[in-house]
Amino acid sequence: NGVDATHFGPMLQCNRAQIVTFLWRAEGSPVVEGSHPFTDVEAGSFYEQAVLWASGSGIASGMTATVFGPDAVCNRAQIVTFLYRTYA
């Protein structure tokens, strides 16, 4: 999907929630049971299951023990690390 009905936004930055959601969807959107310790991951958000999957699989940790940082810009190093941990 684009950022709206007529724009894709290829030059926009991606945040941590978006990156783990891309990877989670690429892996078939597996349903993960359980919970996570992150107070900033909203229940029912588009990224909740992706964060649960990524954190439970060791792909992405939080910025702290209780903060995932879903809105934080994901830099190239983080993206490469997430990719490596997903597909290595």
Side-chain angles (χ1 to χ4, degrees):
N1 293 328
V3 294
D4 63 33
T6 59
H7 297 93
F8 185 69
M11 303 307 277
L12 296 176
Q13 296 178 327
C14 288
N15 62 37
R16 290 169 53 87
Q18 291 167 323
I19 296 298
V20 296
T21 300
F22 298 156
L23 293 172
W24 175 69
R25 289 178 179 165
E27 290 298 303
S29 305
V31 175
V32 181
E33 299 297 325
S35 60
H36 54 74
F38 307 120
T39 58
D40 59 346
V41 174
E42 296 179 39
S45 62
F46 75 88
Y47 56 87
E48 180 186 24
Q49 274 289 305
V51 170
L52 185 60
W53 167 79
S55 63
S57 301
I59 293 164
S61 57
M63 297 178 85
T64 71
T66 59
V67 174
F68 182 75
D71 295 323
V73 172
C74 200
N75 64 41
R76 291 167 53 116
Q78 291 170 324
I79 293 169
V80 170
T81 300
F82 294 165
L83 285 167
Y84 177 80
R85 290 176 180 166
T86 301
Y87 298 110

